[in-house]
DNA sequence: CCGAATCCGCAGTGATACTG
DNA sequence: CAGTATCACTGCGGATTCGG
């Protein structure tokens, strides 16, 4: 398990030595949502070989970014979780994810899956801290068989996979067309078109859009740009 | 040149498909400082095989992140430069670099080199925008045979490799011990110990420290932490 | 069923030599 | 200077198997 290094005294090079290998950052992103078991990770990472998943987990554990522990009574089994050092990668993951989201095709490729952790990451990436100043509210989002929450406390966001830790102020239920992915984009579109069910303080739906749907998304949705070139040139 | 994809409709996965392969982000970081020729890149990336450099450059060009053009009259030759889409990666690179810098050993490993682009990236990463609010000043840093500049205009930073585009307000000259790398860390340490020559408005030296040397660096320098464990556990 | 280890074929990578 | 060519190597992808 020797690690090839880049021979540079540089923060970026060091970061890439630790998490630059294939699948590593995706594993960390999935764990950032919540601790997961081996099998959960395996299913959220379509195409990853089993040996690679276990190898990466061992490397990340050795690097001090991932922690392996035995799950408590109810479920049993092995749980993988991020250490504080692993969690401190979040700003970088969000920055990379935001950049890549701008280059994403308007529609998923056939066969693409949508990891729940990816949607919460997108929520964190598009979250407009200025627009949310002073705000406190909790949303829970049900999309297909996926459950997420976003909790804003005095302008600070906490987003995660699963039901909200406290009673949500508004529950948004979004049922995409069969074989349609409940991606962040289609969720926003559905909200704007009134195609979602809501339960709770309904005025928080507009608040949600204000805080989580930046203007450029609004433009993309309203201006009917051609499917291909719209977001393909890097103008985030 | 077919690209393996991750099968996820996710910004992070897309980003990694584009720039996740070995050496790619380091190439982009070097180009973020200034356009470079093939040979400059090759020398700044110790150990990269020539065929890999040319392959990566072609891939990045095809992805629309890098542009290849013929240099104008004086030097001639091929110049590689970032496109706007490539430059839009900078926030993500800085975020990753900042994270990795926290895990960097206190001293370079023997044989490590120090790409100039890495130091300017570090400057951008540690730059304290709040402390610099309203400030306007230009520094030029000579360290060993490396020349960098940092220009702050009304609190906004522009840093790059080479002499400052305008007449610098302060020139800092730092001559490290032979066989010592003029890293950001040793530069800050040298300034604090008064081991640098300055030329220009000398009061801007303190300003430099205030804007570019965050408190935790000050602590690391003063508290004489043991060489190993200090920054190795991820507590940035 | 969960959490892997093992084996194989191949694509991506590394080192060197060579060329327009 | 700016690459291409060659070849050995290793990490990765895919499948199967194996122990709690």
């Amino acid at each position: 398990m020797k690690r090839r290094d880049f021979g540079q005294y540089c923060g970026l090079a060091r970061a890439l030595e630790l998490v630059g290998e294939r699948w590593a950052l995706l594993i960390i992103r999935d764990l950032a949502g919540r601790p997961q078991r081996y099998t959960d990770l395996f299913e959220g990472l379509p195409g990853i070989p089993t040996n690679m998943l276990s190898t990466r987990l061992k490397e990340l554990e050795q690097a001090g970014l991932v922690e392996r522990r035995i799950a408590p009574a109810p479920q049993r089994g092995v749980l993988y979780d991020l250490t504080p050092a692993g969690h401190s990668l979040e700003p970088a993951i969000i920055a990379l994810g935001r950049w890549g989201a701008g280059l994403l095709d308007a529609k998923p490729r056939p066969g693409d899956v949508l990891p729940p952790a990816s949607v919460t990451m997108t929520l964190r990436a598009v979250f407009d801290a200025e627009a949310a100043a002073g705000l406190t509210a909790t949303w829970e989002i049900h999309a297909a068989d996926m459950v997420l929450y976003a909790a804003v406390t005095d302008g600070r966001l906490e987003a995660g996979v699963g039901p909200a830790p406290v009673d949500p102020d508004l529950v948004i239920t979004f049922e995409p067309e069969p074989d349609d992915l409940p991606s962040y984009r289609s969720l926003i579109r559905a909200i704007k078109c009134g195609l979602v069910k809501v339960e709770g303080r309904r005025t928080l739906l507009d608040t949600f859009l204000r805080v989580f749907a930046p203007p450029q998304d609004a433009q993309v949705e309203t201006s009917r740009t051609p499917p291909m070139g719209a977001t393909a040139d890097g103008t985030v």
Side-chain angles (χ1 to χ4, degrees), chain A:
Chain A
M1 209 173 290
K2 59 181 187 144
R3 321 195 48 59
R4 283 178 302 178
D5 65 75
F6 284 104
Q8 305 185 180
Y9 188 67
C10 165
L12 180 64
R14 190 76 223 282
L16 293 173
E17 286 168 14
L18 292 171
V19 297
E21 275 158 288
R22 199 164 162 79
W23 298 106
L25 275 181
L26 292 179
I27 292 173
I28 292 179
R29 182 215 41 193
D30 281 359
L31 290 177
R34 52 165 31 179
Q36 296 205 250
R37 328 154 132 236
Y38 184 90
T39 319
D40 303 331
L41 288 168
F42 182 72
E43 283 167 8
L45 268 10
I48 191 174
T50 61
N51 58 353
M52 179 133 320
L53 178 54
S54 77
T55 304
R56 287 287 172 272
L57 285 170
K58 259 178 280 188
E59 289 168 353
L60 294 173
E61 192 183 352
Q62 191 173 343
L65 308 180
V66 163
E67 205 173 27
R68 183 194 140 99
R69 51 169 215 264
I70 306 303
Q75 59 219 77
R76 283 192 305 146
V78 185
L79 269 189
Y80 292 93
D81 194 4
L82 292 187
T83 64
H87 276 293
S88 70
L89 246 175
E90 277 191 40
I93 289 183
I94 288 174
L96 251 183
R98 177 183 294 134
W99 181 79
L103 307 190
L104 222 42
D105 299 325
K107 286 288 182 186
R109 293 164 291 207
D112 275 3
V113 302
L114 188 82
S118 155
V119 183
T120 67
M121 186 203 67
T122 306
L123 285 181
R124 279 188 278 245
V126 302
F127 177 66
D128 185 341
E130 281 186 38
L135 179 70
T136 294
T138 300
W139 294 266
E140 190 172 292
I141 302 165
H142 298 236
D145 52 355
M146 194 165 77
V147 179
L148 315 166
Y149 72 91
V152 177
T153 312
D154 193 30
R156 293 204 330 114
L157 168 66
E158 197 214 320
V161 182
V166 300
D167 231 28
D169 300 305
L170 184 70
V171 176
I172 304 174
T173 304
F174 164 43
E175 204 54 56
E177 301 288 313
D179 298 340
D180 242 34
L181 254 33
S183 67
Y184 164 77
R185 283 195 187 193
S186 58
L187 169 67
I188 296 293
R189 188 176 337 134
I191 292 179
K192 286 190 178 159
C193 301
L195 297 176
V196 297
K197 279 199 314 187
V198 294
E199 202 178 335
R201 290 175 47 202
R202 325 186 91 250
T203 61
L204 280 177
L205 195 62
D206 283 333
T207 311
F208 184 89
L209 285 181
R210 193 161 49 77
V211 172
F212 290 105
Q216 53 269 42
D217 271 304
Q219 284 178 7
V220 168
E221 292 309 317
T222 57
S223 66
R224 269 283 153 220
T225 44
M228 277 298 293
T231 52
D233 63 349
T235 16
V236 181

